[in-house]
Amino acid sequence: MIVKKQLSTLKAYSPGKTIDEVKRQYGLTKIVKLASNENPFGSSPKVGEALAELPGKLALYPDGAAYALRQKTAGHLGVQPEQLLFGSGLDEVIQMVSRALLEKGTNVVMAKPTFSQYRHHAIIENAELREVPLKDGVHDLEAMLAQVDENTRIAWICNPNNPTGTYVSKEEVQSFAARVPKTTLVIVDEAYFEYASAPDYASALELLPDYENLMVMRTFSKAYGIAALRMGYAVAHADLIGQLEVARLPFNTSAAAQVAALAALEDQQFLQNCVAANQEGLQQYYDFCEKHGLKYYPSQGNFIFMEVGKPGDEVFQQLLQKGYIVRSGGGLGLPEGIRITVGSKEENEEIIAVLEQVVQETKETAL
């Protein structure tokens, strides 16, 4: 069979080894997974209660319009229901938008490195990639602006950025959006919005009334802790969302994901508890890095990127053999470091103790 030639340049997304795989391979009984930026505290108890009511309804198709979730989310955000587009995780939303806007002769502008799916779907749709290196780990919006032209259909801003956890301010986003052509959709991916705490960080949602070519993306996979059920969404001008709905598959979000997201939204106290614990966890890693003079990026997400003195692939392997799964920067565009999801206080203490050994061994080898 003949498929699009550009697919031959891509690899299918690899989520890495499963916990059971690592147990079998290294003969371990305990594995701590800190690789995928999942919420170590799970989801609100209200989510489980809501899902318990589903078994008798499994033979029915879900509400394709996600009416109840649409109304609840719109109220939570202070937008109109018609401004929302729901998908099976942000991955599907990214796919829908890319499919609707991109084709040969168009281009996308993004940072490098940033979330891989922006690039992946641009290539599938045969659009030109214009990747702009991060500046000190942060989006270089001025350099990105210089790459935008009349054929730029999407400019991606991952804010906070994955994998660095860095951010740009609302004022910087506004300045960027004000200067791009009206035919360029500026998409601000705020998957980690709930975790961000910097005083000058603010959601781009506040800018939506002023820019019809602006979109904000959010997810229930991270802070809300329902990654297994897949629920993400985009917020933009109602006319644009109406056009994008054509690219959405019927019944694309499950009934389980919809009721779980509804329940998660209702428990903001659980969310705030998770955010507070994440801040404490980040401080554990900051203290470790400062103690050893290691390079790291202060993070606005639930993860931290650091360099420990040897290639990320090597550190990843050392940690894996001891039962800790992280992400090597080698596959993220930053080969000298690793990205670690912030876990519980105990999990952070445990992996930091192992990292102490890695740092000590690295120093001894250098002597």
Side-chain angles (χ1 to χ4, degrees):
M1 297 300 295
I2 300 175
V3 300
K4 291 180 178 180
K5 62 180 181 180
Q6 56 266 34
L7 266 64
S8 66
T9 68
L10 297 169
K11 293 182 179 180
Y13 179 79
S14 174
K17 294 179 181 292
T18 66
I19 289 175
D20 287 339
E21 283 181 293
V22 176
K23 282 183 177 180
R24 289 194 300 269
Q25 184 174 358
Y26 297 104
L28 300 169
T29 57
K30 178 186 175 182
I31 302 295
V32 177
K33 183 187 176 190
L34 299 173
S36 300
N37 302 342
E38 297 145 329
N39 188 333
F41 307 106
S43 56
S44 164
K46 292 186 177 182
V47 171
E49 294 168 7
L51 292 174
E53 300 177 8
L54 269 182
K57 305 175 183 178
L58 296 181
L60 305 177
Y61 284 106
D63 176 4
Y67 178 82
L69 179 60
R70 182 179 299 276
Q71 297 297 318
K72 182 76 173 181
T73 305
H76 177 69
L77 299 177
V79 300
Q80 296 302 309
E82 297 78 17
Q83 291 183 259
L84 295 167
L85 176 71
F86 291 96
S88 180
L90 270 189
D91 295 319
E92 191 196 20
V93 180
I94 292 167
Q95 180 188 51
M96 282 190 281
V97 175
S98 298
R99 184 181 184 187
L101 271 64
L102 303 178
E103 60 186 342
K104 187 175 182 180
T106 64
N107 67 72
V108 295
V109 175
M110 68 188 77
K112 183 179 182 180
T114 191
F115 186 49
S116 63
Q117 292 303 293
Y118 313 151
R119 184 181 195 276
H120 187 87
H121 288 289
I123 292 174
I124 289 176
E125 301 304 332
N126 211 14
E128 177 192 352
L129 290 173
R130 296 184 178 179
E131 298 176 289
V132 178
L134 297 174
K135 187 176 182 180
D136 298 324
V138 181
H139 279 62
D140 187 345
L141 293 186
E142 291 302 315
M144 288 176 61
L145 185 66
Q147 292 295 319
V148 174
D149 62 22
E150 68 277 6
N151 295 317
T152 304
R153 293 294 173 265
I154 302 176
W156 289 99
I157 302 175
C158 189
N159 199 36
N161 186 46
N162 178 10
T164 56
T166 54
Y167 73 101
V168 290
S169 69
K170 184 184 72 171
E171 288 72 25
E172 291 173 293
V173 173
Q174 183 173 22
S175 175
F176 182 87
R179 290 181 287 165
V180 302
K182 298 301 182 184
T183 51
T184 298
L185 180 63
V186 178
I187 304 181
V188 184
D189 182 347
E190 297 182 349
Y192 299 94
F193 161 78
E194 290 83 3
Y195 289 112
S197 62
D200 60 342
Y201 176 89
S203 172
L205 277 178
E206 300 172 22
L207 303 175
L208 285 179
D210 299 322
Y211 299 95
E212 293 187 6
N213 60 328
L214 182 64
M215 173 180 283
V216 174
M217 290 185 175
R218 297 271 183 91
T219 184
F220 285 93
S221 294
K222 304 304 179 185
Y224 285 104
I226 57 171
L229 295 173
R230 316 304 298 125
M231 180 61 76
Y233 61 93
V235 194
H237 193 275
D239 288 346
L240 174 59
I241 293 297
Q243 292 177 296
L244 294 175
E245 284 282 0
V246 177
R248 180 178 64 80
L249 293 175
F251 313 114
N252 65 318
T253 61
S254 70
Q258 291 180 33
V259 300
L262 268 169
L265 269 179
E266 291 172 359
D267 196 349
Q268 291 298 307
Q269 185 58 57
F270 175 83
L271 176 75
Q272 293 307 314
N273 292 342
C274 292
V275 170
N278 183 72
Q279 289 298 313
E280 294 174 1
L282 281 171
Q283 191 61 52
Q284 290 178 268
Y285 289 102
Y286 296 161
D287 291 344
F288 164 73
C289 290
E290 294 289 347
K291 173 183 175 182
H292 294 285
L294 304 179
K295 179 181 178 180
Y296 71 96
Y297 294 113
S299 177
Q300 300 301 311
N302 66 335
F303 58 89
I304 184 169
F305 189 90
M306 66 175 72
E307 297 180 7
V308 295
K310 60 172 59 176
D313 285 351
E314 292 183 26
V315 181
F316 164 81
Q317 193 61 40
Q318 283 186 266
L319 293 173
L320 189 67
Q321 292 173 1
K322 294 182 181 295
Y324 296 90
I325 308 175
V326 301
R327 281 297 298 272
S328 168
L332 301 173
L334 295 168
E336 296 306 310
I338 54 173
R339 190 193 69 191
I340 305 175
T341 302
V342 176
S344 66
K345 180 179 180 181
E346 294 74 21
E347 289 170 337
N348 299 332
E349 288 174 347
E350 291 172 7
I351 194 170
I352 286 173
V354 177
L355 286 168
E356 290 273 6
Q357 299 174 15
V358 173
V359 170
Q360 186 59 40
E361 292 169 4
T362 303
K363 289 180 178 179
E364 292 174 355
T365 302
L367 294 177

